[in-house]
Amino acid sequence: MADDNNKRRGLLGLWDWFWAPTAVLSIGFVLLAGFLGGILFWGGFHWTLEMTNTEEFCVSCHSMETNLGEYRETIHYNNHSGVRAICSDCHVPKEWQHKIKAKVMAVKDVYHEAVGTIDTAEKYESHRLHMAEAVWRKMKASDSRECRNCHNFQYMDFTIQETRAAAEHQRALDNNMTCIDCHQGIAHSLPAGHLDAYKALVEEMAAAETGESGPALRQSGIGVDLQPLRDVLSERGN
Amino acid sequence: MLTILDLLGTIGGNVLSLPGILGLALGMMTRRLPLGAALGGGVGIFETLVFAGFQLQAIEPLELIVAVVVGVMAGSVGTLIRQKGATV
């Protein structure tokens, strides 16, 4: 009876109940129930996460209509092989931790949809360069990780590529360049002055390498001689 | 340059990855707080090494710091759960 009088109520009572030892359940029952509960929770969590990777989900926001229209004109949407790369294939990493990071960071997209940052064609165009730079920066820093989900220098047979493509891929391979160094705008229209902007971005990232945030960029290959990349960008600009 | 959004994403990624989950689980295996924290921190170091392909020069200091801090906190919480929820 004394125990009943000392029982706390409300949230504190729930807290006490949560930490009370089980009197009627075996260890096996608790373990099995926890195991099944874990599977259900993790399966549901992962399934929900995958739902946010579908093209339907990505383009369900009004802000994505321009992106979608441009992407539908590219080879990543329609091609002879019937293989399609959807939004998440290029913008969401496959590795778990990187994927979660991308999902957390994508919260900003919901915010900008809500406040209408790019809800008109004019606003979209005024932000196009900024948005492109954000993706280029991420791609450069990760050695175009998402491109490499499907494409890889090591898997390429240069002998059956067009002569120019084979030569450029060999040059990229020799000079530790990465996909985004040449393949900007493969799914969306390029902003005006994109080459100059990309050059400036690469130089900025290379300069930062010697500073505090440097090691983050070493995996991108920026740590090596930048001159070949400068040459490529200059050639494209001419 | 790491933005606030980058930092939040890195923390979220670590909480739902090895440092957060395995760190919590390892912390629950001991009643000694320093040991639980150390086990969690160890997971943070291990995970960063794995993601860097075991190449030290590819490790980003801030990512390592976030992973270790999340691991230490998860390991500590795990130990507190053990202390609170178990009599052995």
Side-chain angles (χ1 to χ4, degrees):
Chain A
M1 292 298 284
D3 282 351
D4 286 344
N5 292 334
N6 290 334
K7 260 188 175 178
R8 299 194 286 187
R9 294 181 184 282
L11 283 177
L12 289 173
L14 196 64
W15 175 257
D16 291 340
W17 169 82
F18 185 80
W19 290 110
T22 57
V24 291
L25 305 175
S26 66
I27 290 174
F29 184 92
V30 172
L31 286 176
L32 285 171
F35 182 69
L36 289 174
I39 289 176
L40 284 173
F41 171 79
W42 197 254
F45 179 73
H46 194 260
W47 177 75
T48 307
L49 209 60
E50 286 305 307
M51 292 290 283
T52 67
N53 267 354
T54 60
E55 191 178 313
E56 291 74 20
F57 180 86
C58 293
V59 301
S60 60
C61 289
H62 168 66
S63 304
M64 291 292 123
E65 284 174 5
T66 310
N67 287 1
L68 180 64
E70 292 170 356
Y71 153 70
R72 282 186 169 162
E73 299 295 319
T74 70
I75 197 167
H76 282 92
Y77 184 77
N78 262 335
N79 52 66
H80 69 282
S81 65
V83 177
R84 176 174 291 176
I86 62 171
C87 316
S88 56
D89 289 322
C90 303
H91 293 289
V92 182
K94 302 287 184 207
E95 296 86 355
W96 176 256
Q97 185 168 342
H98 297 310
K99 185 196 307 198
I100 296 297
K101 180 175 177 176
K103 292 293 178 188
V104 171
M105 293 178 72
V107 171
K108 77 175 187 313
D109 299 340
V110 179
Y111 166 77
H112 287 297
E113 168 72 11
V115 299
T117 306
I118 50 170
D119 61 354
T120 65
E122 293 74 25
K123 286 184 188 176
Y124 192 95
E125 287 309 318
S126 69
H127 285 86
R128 187 186 284 278
L129 180 60
H130 174 70
M131 293 189 289
E133 280 180 334
V135 173
W136 295 340
R137 188 182 296 275
K138 202 189 309 180
M139 288 275 189
K140 183 68 177 162
S142 68
D143 193 13
S144 307
R145 181 181 53 217
E146 279 63 72
C147 302
R148 292 171 194 279
N149 287 333
C150 300
H151 306 276
N152 198 316
F153 284 131
Q154 277 70 42
Y155 307 158
M156 290 178 184
D157 184 347
F158 291 171
T159 62
I160 54 175
Q161 288 185 347
E162 287 179 18
T163 312
R164 180 171 168 271
E168 292 299 327
H169 284 146
Q170 187 59 59
R171 176 155 70 155
L173 200 53
D174 293 342
N175 294 302
N176 206 14
M177 289 165 61
T178 190
C179 314
I180 197 65
D181 286 330
C182 297
H183 295 282
Q184 301 122 25
I186 43 92
H188 307 292
S189 301
L190 284 164
H194 72 277
L195 266 181
D196 289 335
Y198 188 75
K199 276 186 212 169
L201 185 141
V202 169
E203 296 292 348
E204 180 201 321
M205 291 174 80
E209 188 174 7
T210 55
E212 290 175 1
S213 60
L217 306 175
R218 281 190 193 144
Q219 59 191 308
S220 69
I222 292 178
V224 299
D225 184 14
L226 263 185
Q227 197 52 47
L229 175 55
R230 290 190 186 110
D231 294 341
V232 170
L233 293 172
S234 297
E235 284 171 26
R236 289 178 61 206
N238 293 333
Chain B
M1 188 173 61
L2 198 79
T3 63
I4 292 290
L5 206 57
D6 264 320
L7 185 64
L8 288 175
T10 307
I11 292 171
N14 277 289
V15 168
L16 285 172
S17 190
L18 279 181
I21 294 172
L22 187 57
L24 188 74
L26 289 176
M28 287 172 73
M29 297 178 77
T30 177
R31 298 180 70 83
R32 293 164 58 193
L33 196 58
L35 181 59
L39 287 169
V43 175
I45 294 171
F46 175 72
E47 189 223 42
T48 310
L49 277 171
V50 168
F51 271 94
F54 291 96
Q55 291 178 322
L56 291 179
Q57 71 272 19
I59 291 177
E60 189 182 346
L62 200 73
E63 287 206 353
L64 176 64
I65 291 168
V66 169
V68 170
V69 169
V70 169
V72 165
M73 291 177 74
S76 302
V77 170
T79 304
L80 292 176
I81 289 172
R82 173 66 176 267
Q83 290 175 356
K84 176 79 179 168
T87 54
V88 290

